[in-house]
Amino acid sequence: MGWMAAHGTWTLSLFTVLGITCMEASSSWHMDDFIKAVKQVEDRNPGLGPVAVLRGLRWAAGLNDSSIQHFLSAAHSGGLDMDAGLYDYIGKVLQHRVTEDAREEGVVLTSDGTTVALRPLLLAIEAGFLFKSRGRIRSLYQLTLARDLGLFCKHFPSSPPYPSLGPDGCWDSTTSPQVFTLSDSPSVLTTAQVNGDMDGVILGMEVSKKSTTTLKLSSLLSDYYCHRLENGGLDTAPRLISPRRRDNFREVFSPFLLIKEVVKSVDIMRRLKGRPNMKEKQKKHLLSVVKGGMKEFVDKYIDCPAIIPRCMWGAKPYKGTPTNLTLPLSFMYIHHTSTPGKPCLSFEQCSADMRSMQLFHQDDRGWDDIGYSFVAGSDGYIYEGRSWHWQGAHTLGHNSIGYGVSFIGDYSSSLPSQHSMGLVRDQLASCAVGGGRLVANFTLQGHRQVVNTSCPGEAFYNEIRGWPHFGEVQKLQ
């Protein structure tokens, strides 16, 4: 009998029933609820196109500072028909800020388990609709990443040590999220803001190509954030969905263009505040600082994969005191779970699988925690196990020199999805060398027989062997 069956009667915690099916959530800070609110606005204001709805939402939230007016029109003159409760909700959910106790407001939880700031998302979509007549994309970046990276770079030194972007955080509940708390001291630009920036650019560019006569804002957001994956996972999924956020942004991303737009953004902000134009020496210094900030952004959000934190999948605490790894490590050991035997295709299922594996490893095996460093789902995300700094329990005799990464599912006679394999091979492996920061040279090691991990099937093993840098265990020079 498999270990999953042995624990089939386990009474799960609050995280068990995640309830993140679109349009079914109760009032909370969830994207589903925001989409419902937008639909209520659309229903109460029939005949209004998406631009008018976006302007009305912006008016209700008081988003009308000089930088917004510079790129978009002035605030909506008459407002939208909405009751007091809806008006209050819109006003709160679109106002982004980080409080002194590290709570991030103006963000919502999405069905894929990530958190998104709504302000840059909606501003960029509105700009995207206006591109039809203006024929330019500058506003997309100036209202999202260029603006936010410009603010971040103002605090960026000319030499190391450099500040880190982020961090991510965790919700008090995934069924009815109310409070989002950051996991570390915040920088000027959090991960939720970056997600909103990326989604804004992606959807803004998309709507610039579409007809505005029949498109509904609620439908656009629902299609993007609420798609349910089928058996093929992301291999057979539509292009324009939130689990593909980094893939889609990577396709349109140009470091040179974004650096240029960040410098422009800083200059525009100075002029809007009545400050004099920068001198040539100031511009050169700014360019140097922005290049440093851009490297941090590329490392964390372009080259590294999105990782679902432990607290989001409902991890129990580590038992005892973790053994810290000595970084950087040279190897990554690839496994599959066998049990759970099916690929997980959603945040709720992958989270349940993570909790079940941790329960088995801690209670049945007597380990301090889930054995793996990271786990790859088929939902487009990597799940944090012992992570970058804690030694795992995945490969007998090699736990101190390498990370252990497992694919959820039994791959004795088949392969994981191409997308999930690429996520590990092309992004996590490169990112792992520096313990979360990109460095060069790394060896991927497929493992046939490891303690407490089932043996990968022949096809899986052969596929791993074909990955770049795969070879015999050897110490990097």
Side-chain angles (χ1 to χ4, degrees):
M1 178 182 293
W3 63 266
M4 178 68 86
H7 293 274
T9 58
W10 177 41
T11 301
L12 301 179
S13 67
L14 172 66
F15 290 85
T16 304
V17 184
L18 295 171
I20 346 183
T21 302
C22 273
M23 300 303 195
E24 294 179 359
S26 59
S27 179
S28 65
W29 301 110
H30 196 287
M31 180 62 80
D32 298 357
D33 289 313
F34 179 69
I35 293 172
K36 287 168 62 178
V38 171
K39 192 172 187 308
Q40 288 180 46
V41 170
E42 292 169 338
D43 291 343
R44 295 185 66 154
N45 297 269
L48 290 185
V51 173
V53 170
L54 284 159
R55 286 177 179 171
L57 295 175
R58 177 157 56 90
W59 175 81
L63 300 181
N64 197 36
D65 59 47
S66 58
S67 63
I68 293 174
Q69 290 191 44
H70 180 79
F71 294 104
L72 304 174
S73 66
H76 194 274
S77 57
L80 298 173
D81 178 17
M82 61 177 86
D83 59 38
L86 186 57
Y87 186 91
D88 182 63
Y89 174 78
I90 294 297
K92 289 180 179 178
V93 78
L94 293 185
Q95 288 287 355
H96 181 269
R97 72 176 187 130
V98 176
T99 66
E100 291 184 356
D101 56 354
R103 293 185 176 185
E104 188 171 9
E105 299 175 350
V107 298
V108 293
L109 173 64
T110 69
S111 294
D112 64 7
T114 58
T115 301
V116 173
L118 289 174
R119 180 186 187 277
L121 169 68
L122 296 192
L123 291 178
I125 293 175
E126 184 178 344
F129 280 117
L130 298 177
F131 289 165
K132 290 178 178 300
S133 57
R134 300 182 183 183
R136 54 190 171 91
I137 64 170
R138 185 180 65 163
S139 302
L140 276 180
Y141 286 104
Q142 295 297 337
L143 290 166
T144 55
L145 271 174
R147 171 191 174 276
D148 289 341
L149 282 172
L151 294 173
F152 172 69
C153 289
K154 285 176 63 177
H155 302 272
F156 207 86
S158 301
S159 59
Y162 298 128
S164 178
L165 282 164
D168 205 342
C170 279
W171 289 92
D172 56 336
S173 166
T174 55
T175 55
S176 181
Q178 302 290 337
V179 178
F180 184 70
T181 305
L182 296 172
S183 58
D184 204 347
S185 300
S187 73
V188 177
L189 182 54
T190 67
T191 294
Q193 285 178 276
V194 173
N195 289 339
D197 287 337
M198 287 184 174
D199 289 346
V201 170
I202 293 165
L203 292 177
M205 288 187 172
E206 190 69 18
V207 299
S208 69
K209 311 169 189 174
K210 294 181 177 293
S211 169
T212 62
T213 56
T214 59
L215 183 62
K216 294 284 189 181
L217 176 61
S218 59
S219 297
L220 175 72
L221 296 175
S222 183
D223 289 346
Y224 185 75
Y225 289 108
C226 304
H227 179 79
R228 305 293 291 186
L229 295 176
E230 298 178 351
N231 290 337
L234 286 182
D235 288 358
T236 57
R239 176 184 64 86
L240 203 68
I241 56 175
S242 57
R244 293 189 184 276
R245 174 183 296 118
R246 296 196 185 191
D247 295 338
N248 286 327
F249 188 79
R250 203 174 288 115
E251 291 181 2
V252 301
F253 172 71
S254 164
F256 174 78
L257 173 63
L258 189 49
I259 287 173
K260 185 178 178 180
E261 293 301 328
V262 171
V263 173
K264 281 184 180 179
S265 178
V266 174
D267 188 50
I268 289 171
M269 294 299 176
R270 287 174 59 92
R271 286 191 282 110
L272 290 174
K273 293 178 180 178
R275 300 178 63 183
N277 293 334
M278 287 186 292
K279 297 179 180 180
E280 194 62 31
K281 185 177 181 180
Q282 289 177 301
K283 287 185 178 180
K284 287 184 178 179
H285 174 73
L286 175 62
L287 183 61
S288 174
V289 169
V290 170
K291 286 180 179 178
M294 187 59 60
K295 184 181 185 305
E296 168 71 14
F297 172 76
V298 170
D299 284 356
K300 186 163 187 175
Y301 295 107
I302 302 298
D303 293 330
C304 286
I307 298 174
I308 303 295
R310 289 170 60 91
C311 52
M312 284 299 293
W313 58 261
K316 291 183 177 180
Y318 191 101
K319 292 183 177 180
T321 303
T323 299
N324 288 327
L325 293 163
T326 301
L327 304 180
L329 303 185
S330 301
F331 307 105
M332 177 179 284
Y333 300 96
I334 307 298
H335 311 274
H336 71 151
T337 61
S338 181
T339 306
K342 293 183 179 180
C344 63
L345 298 169
S346 65
F347 168 58
E348 56 263 46
Q349 185 57 56
C350 293
S351 296
D353 288 346
M354 291 294 292
R355 293 192 299 273
S356 296
M357 284 188 284
Q358 186 188 42
L359 180 74
F360 173 65
H361 288 174
Q362 286 185 323
D363 291 4
D364 283 40
R365 295 299 184 185
W367 298 348
D368 295 329
D369 198 2
I370 188 171
Y372 305 117
S373 308
F374 296 95
V375 177
S378 294
D379 62 337
Y381 291 100
I382 300 292
Y383 285 75
E384 182 184 32
R386 300 203 191 187
S387 198
W388 302 116
H389 301 286
W390 294 351
Q391 181 174 308
H394 48 79
T395 312
L396 184 63
H398 297 82
N399 291 321
S400 64
I401 62 172
Y403 296 109
V405 179
S406 186
F407 291 86
I408 292 180
D410 183 352
Y411 297 107
S412 299
S413 58
S414 63
L415 292 174
S417 69
Q418 289 298 312
H419 186 277
S420 60
M421 288 197 293
L423 201 63
V424 173
R425 177 188 61 220
D426 302 328
Q427 296 176 52
L428 185 64
S430 297
C431 196
V433 189
R437 290 181 179 270
L438 287 170
V439 187
N441 297 324
F442 198 66
T443 297
L444 290 168
Q445 181 70 31
H447 220 71
R448 277 181 174 274
Q449 293 184 342
V450 292
V451 175
N452 299 318
T453 303
S454 64
C455 308
E458 192 67 26
F460 179 72
Y461 181 71
N462 288 337
E463 175 70 14
I464 299 298
R465 290 185 64 186
W467 287 5
H469 307 301
F470 176 87
E472 297 301 322
V473 176
Q474 55 185 349
K475 185 71 175 178
L476 293 179
Q477 298 300 316

